[in-house]
């Protein structure tokens, strides 16, 4: 029941209160990376089968621990006092389920472009997407910014909100650790592209996270699409783009914005002087300018609000159904 209270409050806190720069997952990531490096160097020794089997076991253990620890932590906190438990869980949800950062980043880039400070825009984009920006032009800065915002709102807020309502903070925490394992395993680790890797164990982590995110990505697209409709855009365009171009999770998160604004997202980007090619999403009917960053942000925030509303309604319906049945 407390999840119905915590999620909307954490949303409002994220929107209206400056977000603390606390990333608890970076402290979890470091020992896991060291463990994987140690195992690869001392145990696996290029034995792909051993790496796959032992790696899967270790990943499942890590995921189990990431669920069990917060589960019992909050169990005891709520045992001590309900108010203590709900306050700590609210703070944790505020930190883990983030929506503010994508809008801060895109707004910063928008301001830099508006005042023709492209170098500042490039630095902000590079810091948050990890792509090469040396030779990127103004239009591509705008494109990559919209891609980053569309993907980040979906992954950092809508996806995590789904798992929070399904299983509270323990399940949400485990989900974030799963995403972290996928990122650790990836060779490219680009915010606007799907994770990629060649070894079998890495593919297990990446595919596990990818398939877990498939339904949330469709839900996020629907939320964005309805949001665009409420803002006066043609929802049919969003669905047309989704049907044609929504071939992976990140592309699905871009379809509603690309369709609503008649713009093209995706395509080529550079990382470590190598060229990578993403799925093209949408149609390049309109030429990109900085105003599209603002327009896309409006669609995304409306989509996030709709997602929050739908998730709360679904949770209430399932609770009501549970009361009726049991």
């Amino acid at each position: 029941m407390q999840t119905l209270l915590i999620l909307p409050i954490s949303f409002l806190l994220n929107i209206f209160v400056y977000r603390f720069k606390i990333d608890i997952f970076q402290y979890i990531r470091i020992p896991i990376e060291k463990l994987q490096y140690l195992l690869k160097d001392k145990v696996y020794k290029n034995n792909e089968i051993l790496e796959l089997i032992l790696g899967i076991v270790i990943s499942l253990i890590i995921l189990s621990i990431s669920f069990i620890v917060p589960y019992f932590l909050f169990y005891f906190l709520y045992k001590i006092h309900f108010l203590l438990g709900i306050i700590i869980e609210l703070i944790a949800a505020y930190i883990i389920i983030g929506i503010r950062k994508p809008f801060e980043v895109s707004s910063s880039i928008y301001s830099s472009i508006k005042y023709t400070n492209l170098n500042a825009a490039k630095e902000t984009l590079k810091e948050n997407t990890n792509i090469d920006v040396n030779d990127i032009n103004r239009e591509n800065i705008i494109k990559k910014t919209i891609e980053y915002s569309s993907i980040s709102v979906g992954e950092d807020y809508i996806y995590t909100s789904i798992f929070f309502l399904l299983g509270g903070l323990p399940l949400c925490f485990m989900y974030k650790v799963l995403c972290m394992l996928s990122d650790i395993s990836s060779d490219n680790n680009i915010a606007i592209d799907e994770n990629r890797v060649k070894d079998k164990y890495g593919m297990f982590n990446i595919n596990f996270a990818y398939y877990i995110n498939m339904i949330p990505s469709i839900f996020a697209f629907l939320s964005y699409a309805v949001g665009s409709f409420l803002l006066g855009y043609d929802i049919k365009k969003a669905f047309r783009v989704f049907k044609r171009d929504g071939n992976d999770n990140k592309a699905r998160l871009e379809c509603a914005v690309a369709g609503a604004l008649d713009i093209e997202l995706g395509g080529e980007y550079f990382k470590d002087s190598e060229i990578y090619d993403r799925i093209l999403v949408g149609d390049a009917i309109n030429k990109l300018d900085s105003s599209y960053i603002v327009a896309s942000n409006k669609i995304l925030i409306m989509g996030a609000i709709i997602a929050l509303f739908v998730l709360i309604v679904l949770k209430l319906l399932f609770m009501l159904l549970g009361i009726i049945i049991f």
Side-chain angles (χ1 to χ4, degrees):
M1 183 65 183
Q2 61 267 25
T3 56
L4 294 175
L5 180 64
I6 290 171
L7 193 58
I9 294 176
S10 68
F11 175 85
L12 293 173
L13 287 173
N14 263 282
I15 293 295
F16 296 110
V17 178
Y18 181 76
R19 186 170 175 78
F20 296 114
K21 295 186 180 298
I22 300 174
D23 184 4
I24 59 176
F25 294 99
Q26 70 179 350
Y27 301 107
I28 301 171
R29 182 182 184 120
I30 293 170
I32 292 176
E33 285 181 329
K34 288 182 178 179
L35 174 63
Q36 289 193 353
Y37 176 79
L38 182 66
L39 289 171
K40 190 179 286 286
D41 185 50
K42 302 295 184 181
V43 179
Y44 302 149
K45 296 181 178 179
N46 297 321
N47 187 328
E48 290 189 359
I49 302 300
L50 178 63
E51 181 177 1
L52 176 62
I53 295 171
L54 189 57
I56 290 173
V57 171
I58 291 171
S59 289
L60 293 176
I61 291 172
I62 290 170
L63 291 173
S64 299
I65 292 171
S66 68
F67 179 85
I68 291 168
V69 170
Y71 177 84
F72 282 104
L73 173 63
F74 284 103
Y75 174 80
F76 288 119
L77 286 173
Y78 278 106
K79 278 288 186 181
I80 294 170
H81 198 285
F82 177 80
L83 192 59
L84 175 64
I86 204 165
I87 289 173
I88 300 299
E89 191 168 6
L90 176 59
I91 294 170
Y94 167 75
I95 293 170
I96 294 171
I97 308 174
I99 192 173
R100 185 185 182 98
K101 184 182 176 182
F103 297 115
E104 285 184 339
V105 170
S106 58
S107 296
S108 173
I109 293 173
Y110 169 78
S111 297
S112 297
I113 293 172
K114 185 177 179 180
Y115 295 105
T116 62
N117 189 353
L118 292 186
N119 287 332
K122 288 180 180 181
E123 285 301 312
T124 305
L125 185 63
K126 180 178 176 59
E127 181 183 344
N128 290 280
T129 62
N130 208 26
I131 64 172
D132 293 345
V133 295
N134 293 333
D135 300 319
I136 194 170
N137 60 26
R138 184 175 182 273
E139 186 172 345
N140 272 310
I141 292 173
I142 295 166
K143 177 190 282 191
K144 299 308 173 190
T145 301
I146 295 172
E147 291 171 16
Y148 166 77
S149 299
S150 302
I151 291 167
S152 295
V153 171
E155 292 181 340
D156 295 341
Y157 181 73
I158 296 178
Y159 290 12
T160 48
S161 296
I162 291 171
F163 287 96
F164 182 76
L165 280 181
L166 285 174
L169 200 70
L171 186 63
C172 180
F173 194 86
M174 184 176 73
Y175 167 73
K176 294 291 284 186
V177 171
L178 171 62
C179 294
M180 183 189 66
L181 289 173
S182 175
D183 290 340
I184 290 173
S185 301
S186 176
D187 289 336
N188 60 334
N189 197 20
I190 301 295
I192 58 173
D193 200 359
E194 297 289 352
N195 288 334
R196 301 171 183 171
V197 75
K198 294 179 181 178
D199 66 87
K200 293 179 180 178
Y201 167 59
M203 283 303 300
F204 168 79
N205 285 331
I206 289 171
N207 286 335
F208 192 7
Y210 179 84
Y211 289 115
I212 288 289
N213 285 333
M214 284 185 71
I215 293 176
S217 71
I218 295 170
F219 175 77
F221 159 76
L222 292 172
S223 301
Y224 291 166
V226 174
S228 69
F229 174 74
L230 294 178
L231 291 171
Y233 296 101
D234 187 353
I235 196 172
K236 293 179 182 177
K237 293 181 179 179
F239 279 96
R240 185 177 68 246
V241 171
F242 176 79
K243 184 178 179 180
R244 187 189 66 199
D245 302 328
N247 297 323
D248 64 40
N249 291 339
K250 292 185 188 289
R252 292 184 196 106
L253 296 174
E254 299 168 330
C255 287
V257 171
L261 301 179
D262 286 324
I263 58 175
E264 184 181 76
L265 301 175
E268 296 177 347
Y269 68 89
F270 286 88
K271 166 66 176 173
D272 297 330
S273 301
E274 290 187 29
I275 190 168
Y276 293 87
D277 196 21
R278 292 189 61 228
I279 296 170
L280 288 172
V281 178
D283 301 299
I285 297 172
N286 294 325
K287 186 177 180 180
L288 283 167
D289 61 56
S290 58
S291 66
Y292 284 97
I293 295 176
V294 177
S296 66
N297 280 352
K298 289 179 180 178
I299 293 172
L300 297 176
I301 192 67
M302 183 63 76
I305 292 169
I306 289 166
L308 175 63
F309 174 77
V310 171
L311 289 172
I312 290 174
V313 169
L314 288 174
K315 181 74 172 181
L316 286 170
L317 288 174
F318 280 116
M319 289 174 63
L320 181 61
L321 188 62
I323 292 170
I324 293 171
I325 294 174
F326 301 106

